[in-house]
Structures are given as structure tokens and as C-alpha cells.
Amino acid sequence: MHPAWSVIVFTTLSGAGYGLMVWLGALQWMGRFPVDGAPPWLWAALLLKGLVLSTLGLLSSMLHLGKPGRAWRAFSQWRTSWLSREGVLAVLTALVALALLAPAVLEAAMPRYRLALAPAATRTLLAALVAAPLLTVVCTAMIYASLKPIPAWRHRLVVPAYLAFALLSGAALLGAAQAVTAGAVPAAVAIAIAALALLTGALKWIYWRDIDRQALPVTRGDAIGLPGREPQVFERPHTEGNYLTREMGFVLARRHARKLRAIALFLFAALPALLAALALAVPAAALVALPAAAVAVLLGAMTERWLFFAQARHVVMLYY
Amino acid sequence: MKEPALDLSPSPGDQVKTTTCYMCACRCGIKVWLKDAGPQGPTIRYIQGNAAHPVNRGVLCAKGASGIMQHYSPARLDKPLLRTGERGSGEFKEIEWEDALRIATDWLRPIRERNPDELAFFTGRDQSQALTGWWAQQFGTINYAAHGGFCSVNMAAGGLYTLGGSFWEFGEPDWEHTRYLMLWGVAEDHDSNPIKLGLGRLKARGAKIVAVNPVRSGYGAIADEWIGIRPGSDGLFAFALIHELLRADRIDLDYLVRYANAHWLVLRDPGGADDGLFARDAEGRPLCFDRNTGAPADANAIGITPAVVGEVALADGRHAVPAFQLVAERYLDPQYAPEAVSERCGIPADTIRRIARELAEAAFDSGLTLPVPWTDAWGREHPEMVGRPVAMHAMRGISAHSNGFHTCRALHLLQLLLGAVDAPGSFRYQPPFPKPIPPPNRPGRTRKDNGALDAPPLGFVHTPADLLVDAEGRPRRIDHAFSWAYPLAAHGMLHTVIRNAHAGDPHRIDTLLMFMANMSWNSAMNTAETMRWLTDRDEDGGYRIPRIIYSDAYASEMVAYADLVLPDTTYLERFDAISLLDRPISDADGAADAIRQPVLEAARQRAQDGKPRDVRGFQSVLLDLGARLGLPGMVDEDGAPLYRDYADYIVRHERAPGVGLLAGWRGEDGEQHGKGAPHPRQLQRYIDNGGFWREEVPEHARYFKMANRGYLEWARKLGFVGSAEPIVLQLYSETLQRFRLAAQGHGPHRPPPEHRERIAAYFDPLPIWYEPFEHDQTSREAFPLNAVTQRPMFMYHAWGSQNAWLRQIAARNYLYLHPDTAARHGLADEDWAVVASHHGQITAQVKFAGNVQPDTVWTWNAIGKRRGAWRLDKDAPEGSEGFLLNHLISDRLPRGDYANADPVTGQAAWFDLRVNLRKADGADQAQPQFPPLPYAPADPRPLRYGADLRARSKTR
Amino acid sequence: MTALPPPSKKKLGLVIDLDTCVGCHACATSCKEWNAAGIAGPLTDERPYGKDPSGVWFNRVHSYELAGGDGACPPPAMPAPPALTLPALTLHFPRSCLHCEQPACVTVCPTGASYKRAEDGIVLVDEDKCIGCKLCSWACPYGAREYSAVEGVMKKCTLCVDRIYNEHLDEAERQPACVQACPTRARHFGDLADPESDVSRLVAERGGVDLMPQLGYRPTNKYLPPRPRRAGTEADAAAPAEDTLERDKLPAALRWLDRMLSR
Ligand SMILES: Nc1nc2c(c(=O)[nH]1)N[C@H]1C(S)=C(S)[C@@H](COP(=O)(O)OP(=O)(O)OC[C@H]3O[C@@H](n4cnc5c(=O)[nH]c(N)nc54)[C@H](O)[C@@H]3O)O[C@H]1N2
Ligand SMILES: Nc1nc2c(c(=O)[nH]1)N[C@H]1C(S)=C(S)[C@@H](COP(=O)(O)OP(=O)(O)OC[C@H]3O[C@@H](n4cnc5c(=O)[nH]c(N)nc54)[C@H](O)[C@@H]3O)O[C@H]1N2
Ligand code: SF4
Ligand code: SF4
Ligand code: SF4
Ligand code: SF4
Ligand code: SF4
Ligand SMILES: [Mo]
């Protein structure tokens, strides 16, 4: 599949935003936020950041549309379409985040007024701040995982890996923010980053191993209605390219794939795990190590996302 | 949510007009739907096949369905052009028609006064030879021909000198009854849609189809059996089949004596002036030996029992044998046994034997009879028609070789032995064929007092006396047609004109007038030299070909080589006659002709610059020029033009009393068909009838047309034959023997010494096979591969590439070769290779294909374009990656003594090409490249055809 | 809307005969021609006269080479004769929308622009709703969806819905443009839900197949596989039985010396 940068950059960023929200919701719900030394506005600021990242993602995927002006129509088919569901949940997530941000925003804007949410409401919203982004990420992953013509995306680890990436990049952003604002991070955060990095690495490693072994479930013979025979292409319908060959016909040389996978694994798994370990061992290093880890995770995730597209073969290319 | 409300019945247009397609020479009937688009007048909404039309019965091919893009092509010429730069540079200025016609008249008038032969008028892909040939005759030049000489004259002549009809467009397989069809070297042919319709019918019926072709694509792909023959060896394969049929005595001797000259006695008088001629009685009637009376008898008598073998002593002491005996002796020879030809043909001997058996079974064991009583030419009644359901069709795979004439005759011999010519289930004639053998009209040779030639310049040579040679036996025509070098060149030789005009051989010409032929590119052999000849100058600085006038409708490669360009209309803007006097569109069950009518007005169309188009139909222009020159038949006594335009000519001109361009709706009241006085409303009658006229052959007249009284009388009534005499099919050709005798020193007209051996060798009265010249005259080690082209079904020669839709199918070509061949040459798939012949070299990209005979490489014809031509972008794939084999094809034989052509007919031997291959390191574009033509490129913006038509049709 | 309607009574579709298709591209260009100004038009062409021309086509014709085989996989419904070997084939293969019964191209659509008609099962795009997200094209295994960057919307074969019911056309012409044009008549149009229809009979007789049935899209269009070729085997290539020629006795041609023929 053609790896479109708009989709890659912004699924990565919105994933990170959603991951961050999940962490913020969970930690607040458990009363584990803020961290010592961090400013009191950090939670709200981070939530805002998560919102911005995820909204950027949505906006960019809109720019990728042929008719962005009609994007509103995409909310209508939530009963069947994962893309529609993603849209609906993304909006829901944004509403939850806005609701939670409202008191802080109001206070900042009009210090004389205070808006206090009822504790029950807050707890419900916090629970929603965990669930809604997670579900949004699941929907995103399901857009791909539901496509039968692209067997690599049907793999059982696609949804887990999307979730893992969201949580990993969310954790990495959180860790980085805490390190920068508080000068240190709780050991749990560093451990979480390292563990998630290794887990994500493992997931991807298994995924890659599997798709390398996976044959397409159909053959060119099946594609032309002559199962069991082995057709070779004699002539394409058109000597020059077309929408299909450009959109689905992207082929990545194996050699490049191996190199890029190694780079990706290093960036989103090995390096962040090492940097988190460093932050654990030498707390003073966290100030540098964790932001670096966050950058590495995002770059690694982007590389991985590029590979996710570039290495997925669409069965339609059997015709070519 | 509800489903959107759709308008399921949008209007397909505001009006529909029927006319004839001209995106190729098949001439299908079309219905053009038009929508009104404001001030510009109607716009084409859609073109569909006309279901009532006899040619295509409603279907349409890929080209025909892209007519919109052809008509609105940005490469259309819009105004007459006068050359301003060097010839070949493509620099012109636009001029007015009046100036253009005046210039042309000024150039042509002195020629006509001085020596009309200094005008060479050659036309290409046109179907107006009924007009152009007549015009040349009236102008008085012998130097006229259309493109048939480089196209298919081997098929036409092979057939007309044997059967009085031919494959090509003059006959068709009996699609309804045949059970076995052999396709020899056919990729597409002129009968594009009829053949496809027919193949579909055979498929539906389960008849067997055998494709003999070094390449298996297109029709071959759906054939039951593919015989991947080595190019140029079909004649041998046919002989081996004949050998097997003779050996097994599975031949139709009754048919052969009834309809052919198998029993005619051939004199055996080695060294004598009558050797090999037919024994004739005092009245000149051919003789046979009647076993009943034990004496010679009129071979055309009935109620006799003719012998087909056995030497006969004639009353005058001479000896003779029946023609069939010569056939049997020759082809039973072990040199034609399957084993003996297998290696050369690349066909296993067992396969040859099996095919022979299958042919015999299909022909003789099918039991096909049609319960149709009929009367033969001698008045005998037959209760039914006995079938021989084996059909053959052959085209340029046979034709475009230097042994093509004889190979074509070999196929006809095979058909005749099976009794499979115009029998139910076999090959069938399309009226006006069969014609007497050879057809009676001989080429014009002398001028009458009014300056016109005594007959049309093209015709059929019967004896050496008919040749167009001077007292020394040198060619008279600029193309050397009808000379000792190419005596039966019935269609002329367009492929030699430019070389000879440049060389002044046999004489200099003044003006070359060409119409619809891309002679500086894909229709030339030796393309680069051709461009040089067109532009070469004398010592005095003038062009060696002083003037070139050219009519094209589009900005082709050839336009750049004209001094004066007369822009034609597109096929949707003019009247045309698809005449029985030219290339008929009849089918075996009916005679038909048709018209084109303007469905769009040229003047309301827009040029590229937004100005109205200012183009004129070439036929009308030709008549206008003729009138300005005062040519006989084009002006009245006062010198005033006789015809307003071509449409007027179609209706009013009579070639002979009662005979005009169109056969339908003649006579004062329009109720006569075939012959009759001109009918003023004739064109309207055609339009009312969907653009065509067709008259059914009566049911009892549909088979054995050469000897079916019902048919012959019907044909005489319509003017197709002069009498209802039976036409005897010529197994053995006395015409050819006459030339051989001349070469052996007999008779008053003898070839000059340098041609004698050649004539004696190739004018064999029975089919022979010889290696194609280029195969023999080049080293098989140096040039081990054959290289051929095929017609793509979706392109017509050069003129499809300007079509925005068609060019997407193939914007460039590859050289296809078998993977084994590639391996032998160290080539990988999609490598670039240098392809060399004895004549030149090109660079092209190769592609693997398993469906080709391993000694053969091939590519699609005419996809490669000169950069800038057709207003394509300079970096269009057609120019950068597309290529032509033509650069490799020499117009002379390797030995340099004759044209690269058949020695009998002069047919261009495109497919004799032999090449070698090597990897081209570092290449990424086709070679050779020529300076781009400076035509303004087309609008690069996306093409949204139909967007505005659709908006209008929406009902919301 | 992108929820599928209940199975329709009519299932209109095409039956394409691969035994007869010569790969002429007539169906492809006639489709383009009708539809350019039809309800799904224009079928925009980019760089129409330039390098890399590329346009919207609802129908594209592929060609393949098939090596010969041992007959292990005869087309269904056509049992292989005992010693059948599959000859090498050149196969032309036109590809357009199959109007599937389980079209994921419809269900993935977030806007409802893609839909399957309840009445006859035709799968269409409502261009006024389409946002050009391309997801449906990813969901179609058959490559039947064509995105136009210029128009910003998805396009596809309409089964010529504006012809087949078009009251302005003669009854006989109410068929898809590609079917009408096909010069070998390898394309057939009809109701595949009606077992008595011509197309259903053809499918039954000729063992019509689904493309990639494993994927579960349940295409309506069917393809008729190439029939076994009747090339004949060399085993029965023995010389014709009637060979009576005794070469050493007579000059071969004289065997016809006593033949009584009548003219
Ligand atoms: N290598 C190779 N070369 C071949 C062949 C081959 O098989 N292999 N085949 C040969 C054969 S058989 C043939 S017939 C020739 C064909 O070759 P050409 O006769 O040259 O055919 P086209 O290339 O179509 O060019 C005809 C010209 O007619 C112009 N034209 C189109 N429509 C009109 C119109 O309405 N009016 C006018 N006035 N002009 C129009 C076109 O623009 C074009 O310039 O090619 C020959 N060349
Ligand atoms: N679509 C389309 N139709 C056309 C034309 C076109 O340009 N496009 N051109 C028209 C014209 S002008 C003409 S003359 C006709 C020509 O129509 P065809 O006769 O079909 O001409 P070609 O495509 O040249 O194909 C000749 C076939 O012969 C095969 N062949 C080559 N050498 C040999 C051989 O030695 N033996 C055998 N058995 N086969 C051989 C080639 O592989 C090829 O398949 O088509 C006409 N129809
Ligand atoms: S075969 Fe095609 S291009 Fe030729 S006349 Fe017929 S429809 Fe037109
Ligand atoms: S072929 Fe593709 S576009 Fe057509 S209905 Fe099936 S899945 Fe949808
Ligand atoms: S591209 Fe259009 S039709 Fe396709 S899924 Fe997106 S909105 Fe639906
Ligand atoms: S049914 Fe109509 S839209 Fe579909 S491929 Fe055929 S012509 Fe094109
Ligand atoms: S029009 Fe008919 S024969 Fe031609 S490619 Fe299409 S299906 Fe095949
Ligand atoms: Mo030709």
C-alpha cells in the first residue's frame, strides 16, 4: 500500500495524544497525579496537549480527503464503518477532554469564577478519558484490521500493536513532560516506558515474523477464476500507471524493509528502554533521557507506521 | 437514510445520426448521439454500433468507441498550411483555402501540359480509390496507387489470379456452418468486427479454431490449437498438408473437375514456346481428356468424364497431361512429407499429419448439406448444397513475406483440394466477387486526346504485353509496378515511390501528391533514409522531389514533409461513399455499400486557438482542383465545374451508363438497384436507411457462386460480372506460365536479361515455396531471429496515439520475446536491448512472453512516435520508449538488386526481417531519436469530457 | 445506508466468457464513452497527451500467460477427460465491478456514499456524499473502484444503471455499454437471481465461477472459464487410414488413372 505521509504522521501523533489522555485519566482516577515538584497546571496542560495532538490528527486526515468540506458526513455510518466509528469516538473523546479541561480553563480565564464538577461526574469523565481514547485507537486499528483484501492488516496483533504504540508514546510524552517540569520522574513511569517499549517491540517483532511467513490467502489463479493455474502477466491493461497501481501497488524491497525495521525497533523499543533505564539509574539524567526517549518513540512509531503501509500487499495487485 | 433519487432515464442525446465509422478500414455502421451545447452546435454524447448494419450488427471495437476523442483530438489540422521553414522542419504558416487551391493549381497545370506522369499521386489508408484512381486517370498520370502494394496485394493477387476472389476483404469463412477454421497469420485484419462476431459464433457452436501464427495473442488466444509456426514457412506447411491429403486420397476430385481446371490438359513441350500452356482447340477452348469417348474434349463441357491423370497424345502430336497430375506429382514428392518440412516450419510431423486428417474429416465426414435446391451454370438442377465445412482465412502473416504470393496460392490450392471454396461451411465469396480470373481490367497505359489515360492506372496484368515497360523493358512507372521486376503489382508499390522519386528512376517527377499516408514514419521502410530523400536537394539547391502536396486530417509525422498541407475533415464531418467500385463492405449473403454523412459541421467546430475550423473534405478539394485544371469529366463544355462537391459527385457521376459510386436507390424514382440512372435523392435514401444499402443474395445463389446460375445472373444484373459464364478456378495458372515462357525467350515481350532468371524461377504456374529473400541473403548466424509486428486491436496504425483514451492502453511498446530466447541472449525481463538487422539498429526495451515461437520476436505496430508529432508532449512515452521496427526494415533486398518485396506482386516484405539482439547497457530510452517536431503541444490540463454534458442532463 | 439492504429479488450482473474474449478493449472504451457523460461522469483523464497519462476507467482488460498443466484443476462443472492436459493459454481478462452481495466496499464507507441498491443489487457511489477517503477502494479486492484526484471523489462501474432502465433507449439497447459493444459477444447481462434467465443458464451450463470466493464477497458477476481446448493429442496422429498408396509400384500420381469423374 502506498504510504501516505499525512496518514503516517498523524496516526502517529493522534495515537500519542490518545495514549497521553489514557495515562492522564488513569493516573488522576487513581489519584497518582501530579508528581512531586511538577507544577499544578501540568495535568491540564498535558490534557490540552493530548487534545491538540489528536485533533491535529483528525484535521490532517481530513486534508487527505478529496472533499474535506464534506467531512461531517463521515460521522453517519457508525453502524457499519470503523472509520465512521473512529470519527464519532474521536469527537466523544474530545468532548470528554474539554469537559475535564473546562474548570481549569475557566479558572485561568476568569479567576473570579470557579467551576467545580461533582466528584462523581469527575470520576465518570476520568473513566471516559481512559475508555474513549482507547476505543478510538481500537477503531483506528480496526479500519485496517477489517480489510480482507490486505492480509497483513488482518493480523491479530494489529489492534494490540496500535494500542501498545498509543500507550507507549503517551507514556513517553508524559515522562518527558514530568522530567522537564519536575526534574525527575517516578520510577513507575520510567519502568512503564521501558516495559511498554519492550512489549511493543515484541509485538511488532512477532507481527513482522508472521507477515513475512504469511502467503496471500488467494493466488493469481483464484483472482482470475482459474484456481490451481499459475498465470503470468502478459500485458497490463494500460502501459502506464493508474490509481490502483499507485495506491495499492507500492512495493518495498525486502532489503530496505529489513533495515527500516531495525531502525524502527531501535528507535521505539531499544533506545527508549535504555533511556528509561538510564533515568531510573541516574535520576538526574531523566531531564535529558526522557524527552529523548519520547522523540525516539515518535520517530520509531512513524517509521513503523510507514512500514505498516509499505509492507502491506493488497490482493488486487495479483491482477498486475 | 434513503437511496438517492437517480435519474435512470437521462436523455442519451438530442438527436442521433447514422453514419459509417472510420477509425479503421472495417467501416462499421455507427449511431452518433449528439447533445446541443449552445453556440458551438451539437457535441457528441456517445457513439454506438448500429444494430441494423450488416458489417458490425451493433457491436463496436475499442477504436470505434473512442471516436469522441478522435474527433476532438487536439492534433486536428484546422487550416491549410504553407511551408515556411526547411522541408521536414514542421514550420508552416496558415493560409486561406483560395490561396492553397491556387498554389496547387499553379503547380499542377504545367505538369499536365508537359507530362502528366510528373505527378505522382499516391494515397494511403483511404477508401476513396473509386474517386482518386479516376481522378488520376483523368489527370493522365500512370503514377497513381493506393497503399495496397505494401499492405496485402499478395492476398489480393494470390486470390484473384486463383479463385477470382480472395481472403482480405473479398471473402469470409462461412461463420454459420464451418466446423473447422484455420487462421493463417491474422492478428486483426480489415474485417475487425465481422471476424470477432464470427469467432464468437464459432465458439458458441463449438467449432474448432486453429491459429497458425508465430505469436499466440488475440484471436490465437481463443483458438483451440495454436501452431507456432516459424515465419515465412507457411507455404511448406500447406504443402505438407496437401502431401498428406493426396497420399491418403482425401481430396475432392469431383469438385476439382467441376469448378477448377484440374482436368485441363497442360502441354508438355520442354523448351517449346507452348510448354506449360493449356492445350486448346481451334476456338481457343481448353481441352481435357474424356474417358468416356477416349478422346480430347472441351474441358468446359458437361456430361463428360474427364481424366485427371495420364499423359495424352493430341491429334497434332503434342503431348499433354491434366493439370492435376502436375499437382499430384509435385506435392507427393517426399520433400513435402511432414518429416521433411517439420524442422523448417517448427511443427512436429505428427501434428501436421493430425491436422491433415482433421481437415479431411471435417470436410468430408461432416455430412453437412443444406436443403437448398440450386441450378448450376450449365442449367443442371441440384436438390441440395453439399458442404465442406473447413474454412480458411489468411492475411498479412502470409502476405507480408517475399514468398507471400505463392504461399497464398498454396493455401488456395489446399482449399480447392478439399472442395472448400464457396461450399457450405467453407471460405465464401463476398459480392461483387468472384470475378473472372484474372479480372478483366488492365492498367491504363496510353493517353487519349483529352489527356486522360485509356484506363485507370491500376489493374490486372494478363500477359507480358500488359506490362508498363518501355522499349528496353525498363519500368515506366515511378514505383516500378507492372515492370519485369514486379509484373503483377496490381496495387502499385507505395513503398518504392519516395526512393525512386528521389533517384529519378525511371524519371524525375515534379509533384508528389499524397493523401492519408504517414510515409515519413510508420508506413515507410527504411524510415530514416526516407526522411532524407524527402528533404534532399540537388546541386542547384532545389529539392530533388520539387513539390509535395499532402492531405492529412491530423498533425502526423508526414505533415512536416509537405510544402502544402490540405487539411481534411474528420470522419464525422464529411460525405464519403464506401463504394462497390472500391473496397466493398459486402458479406457473403449480400452486396452492400454505404455512405458517411457529416454529423457535425466542420465550420462550427473550434480550432485549438478558438477560431472556427477551416477544413475541407479532400475528395471535394480534389474535384475542385480537377475543375480548376479543367480535367475531363470534371468540367462541362464551358469549363465550369460539373460537381458542386463530393456529395454531388457521388450522386450524379456515372462511371459507365447507369453505374455510379453507390449501387442503392438508383433510377429516376430511386427504385433501381445496382445499375440505373442517377437519383437526385439518393443520399437522403441512404440516410433514411441508416447510411447503407444492402441487397441480399437470393438463397439459392449463396454458394458455389463461381458456377451457380442464380448467383451469376443476379451478379450480372447488378453489374458485378459481364456475363453469367461460370468462373473456372485456376489450380494451375497459365498466366504465370506465360511470364515464365517469356523469360525462357519466347514471345515478343521478353524480360531484359537481368530479370530472366528471376521471372523464370518465380512465375511457376503451380505454387512454390522458397526461403524469404532476407532469410537467404543474410547470415543465419549473424541474424538468427525473425522480427514481426502485429496490429493491436485498439489502435489504428499511427492515428490512434492522439486519442486520449486509446493511448492510455498502450502509450509505448515493448519487444516481446520468449524467455528462452532472452536467456540465450543474456537478457533479463525489461532490459533494454540493441536490435540489429542487416540494415540498421534500434534500441528497445524487451519483455518476456511465453506465447511466441522462440525464434521470433515481435512488437505492436506503429506505437512508436516521433517526438512532438500528433501534438503529444515531447516527453510522451510514445516518443521516448515507443519504437518502430521500420528503422530496421530495408526497402531493398540485402543484395541491393530489388525492392524488399515479393517478386511476383511487389508486395512489401515487412515480415522477412531478421535481427539479432544484445543487451544495451545503460540505455533507458528508445533509439533512434529524431529532432522533435515543433507542433504546439496539446492542452495539458485534465480532460473532463462529458462533465458539462452530464450537468445538463441532471434533473435535480 | 452503508448497512446492506436485505438480499434483493433481482441480482443484476454480468457474465463474462473468458473462452471467447479476445482482449480487444472494446468493452473498456465503450464503457468510458457512455459513462463520461453518464451519471458517474466525467471519467477524468490526467495528462491526457503527456507523459504518464492516467484516467478513470470502470473496466480494464488484462492479459495473462498460463503455462500448460496436467489437468489437475479442471474448471468446476467440467470434469476433466482422463488424459486431459491443460494447454498453455493466453487469457484475456476484463475486470470491472462484480456488484458483490457482501460488498465490504459499501460497509466500510463512513459517509453512506457507497450503497447497494435494494431493488437490483447494483453497487453505486453517490458522488454528492463521497468525501474521497478512498477506504472503499482499499476494501475492494477486485480493484473495481477508481479514485479521481481531480474530481476528489470515488467512481466505479454503475452497471450502466442509466442505460438498463433508460426509457429513451430501444428495449434491445437497454443493456450496459460494454455488453452492447463487445464484438465477440463474450459479455452477457441479466438477472443472476433468476435461475431461468439466459445468464443463469449460461453459468450453469458452462460452470461459471466466482472470483476469489474465499474472501466472502459473493460476487454477482460470473466468469466462464476457458473450455478445454480441442487441440487433439499426438497419440491419435497416426497416418490417415485410407492411405492406399503403394509407392514402389506406380508413379504415385497415376493411382487416379481409373477414376471415373463426372462433370
Ligand atoms: N513495421 C511495419 N510497418 C508497417 C506495417 C507492418 O505491419 N509493420 N503495415 C503496413 C501497412 S499494411 C499499412 S496499410 C501501413 C499503414 O500506414 P499509413 O497508411 O501511414 O497509416 P497511418 O499511420 O494510420 O497514417 C495514415 C495517415 O492518415 C491520416 N488520417 C487519418 N484520418 C484521416 C482523414 O480522415 N483524412 C486524411 N486526409 N487523413 C487522415 C493520419 O493522420 C495519418 O497521418 O503501414 C505499413 N507499415
Ligand atoms: N485494430 C487495427 N485493425 C487493423 C489495422 C490496425 O492498424 N489496427 N490495420 C488494418 C490494415 S492496413 C491491415 S493491412 C490489416 C492487417 O491485419 P493482419 O493481417 O491481422 O495484420 P498484422 O497485424 O500485421 O498481423 C499479421 C499476423 O501475422 C503473424 N505472422 C507474421 N509472420 C507470419 C508468418 O510467417 N506466418 C504466419 N502464419 N503468421 C505470421 C503475426 O504474428 C500477426 O499476428 O489490419 C487492418 N485492421
Ligand atoms: S472495426 Fe472499429 S474502428 Fe473499424 S470501423 Fe468498425 S468500429 Fe470503427
Ligand atoms: S467488486 Fe469491489 S467495488 Fe464492486 S461490489 Fe465488489 S467489493 Fe464493491
Ligand atoms: S471514498 Fe467515498 S465512497 Fe469511498 S468510502 Fe470514502 S466516502 Fe465512501
Ligand atoms: S456495466 Fe457499464 S459501467 Fe460497468 S463496466 Fe460495463 S459499461 Fe462500464
Ligand atoms: S469487448 Fe469483449 S472480447 Fe473485447 S475485451 Fe471486452 S469482453 Fe473481451
Ligand atoms: Mo494495410
Side-chain angles (χ1 to χ4, degrees), chain B residues 768-790:
Chain B
I768 53 172
W769 182 83
Y770 48 93
E771 282 291 349
F773 294 142
E774 186 167 336
H775 295 219
D776 252 7
Q777 296 181 18
T778 56
S779 145
R780 285 181 175 70
E781 286 71 44
F783 301 105
L785 300 170
N786 307 286
V788 300
T789 54
Q790 298 205 90

Side-chain angles (χ1 to χ4, degrees), chain B residues 11-300:
Chain B
S11 156
D14 302 313
Q15 46 173 329
V16 59
K17 292 196 174 178
T18 52
T19 185
T20 306
C21 181
Y22 192 23
M23 297 199 40
C24 88
C26 184
R27 294 153 291 167
C28 300
I30 50 173
K31 287 162 72 172
V32 184
W33 291 90
L34 300 171
K35 246 185 155 81
D36 282 323
Q40 288 201 35
T43 305
I44 310 172
R45 160 66 181 90
Y46 180 61
I47 300 175
Q48 66 168 91
N50 178 358
H53 200 277
V55 171
N56 57 317
R57 293 161 204 279
V59 304
L60 209 61
C61 81
K63 298 159 278 146
S66 305
I68 298 178
M69 290 297 122
Q70 200 78 358
H71 173 74
Y72 294 113
S73 162
R76 285 190 311 201
L77 300 176
D78 297 315
K79 212 168 167 65
L81 300 172
L82 187 66
R83 181 168 60 78
T84 51
E86 289 290 296
R87 194 186 277 166
S89 70
E91 288 157 30
F92 294 97
K93 68 171 183 205
E94 295 191 339
I95 57 173
E96 298 303 323
W97 270 104
E98 196 45 45
D99 297 326
L101 290 165
R102 186 181 36 74
I103 292 170
T105 315
D106 289 348
W107 290 352
L108 295 178
R109 182 172 289 120
I111 301 177
R112 183 152 203 277
E113 281 157 13
R114 194 167 62 229
N115 173 10
D117 291 344
E118 286 181 32
L119 169 68
F121 180 17
F122 281 78
T123 81
R125 306 282 335 114
D126 71 304
Q127 296 147 354
S128 19
Q129 294 169 43
L131 173 72
T132 55
W134 176 82
W135 193 94
Q137 181 189 355
Q138 304 311 97
F139 188 88
T141 179
I142 56 170
N143 289 321
Y144 162 86
H147 75 285
F150 63 45
C151 180
S152 314
V153 67
N154 272 341
M155 309 315 279
L160 290 170
Y161 280 85
T162 309
L163 305 179
S166 95
F167 301 126
W168 201 28
E169 296 164 82
F170 306 165
E172 69 188 36
D174 187 347
W175 299 113
E176 197 177 332
H177 299 110
T178 197
R179 305 208 177 144
Y180 203 98
L181 172 68
M182 285 186 91
L183 286 172
W184 300 74
V186 188
E188 171 73 348
D189 205 347
H190 296 87
D191 270 350
S192 304
N193 280 333
I195 291 179
K196 292 189 189 70
L197 277 164
L199 290 175
R201 288 169 76 185
L202 295 201
K203 278 282 175 180
R205 244 199 7 262
K208 178 164 177 175
I209 303 170
V210 178
V212 185
N213 197 317
V215 188
R216 182 189 61 216
S217 63
Y219 302 160
I222 64 163
D224 291 283
E225 182 158 8
W226 174 52
I227 309 262
I229 196 165
R230 290 202 163 100
S233 67
D234 301 74
L236 269 188
F237 176 34
F239 289 165
L241 294 172
I242 291 170
H243 177 93
E244 283 298 289
L245 293 170
L246 287 170
R247 202 166 65 86
D249 195 9
R250 294 278 269 168
I251 52 176
D252 194 343
L253 282 171
D254 286 308
Y255 182 99
L256 288 173
V257 299
R258 212 167 290 149
Y259 305 121
N261 62 5
H263 54 300
W264 291 18
L265 291 172
V266 177
L267 293 168
R268 268 194 172 163
D269 179 17
D274 55 357
D275 184 40
L277 298 181
F278 289 125
R280 294 176 189 271
D281 64 13
E283 278 80 54
R285 287 179 304 214
L287 295 174
C288 71
F289 182 77
D290 182 6
R291 292 174 49 93
N292 275 342
T293 59
D298 174 3
N300 290 325

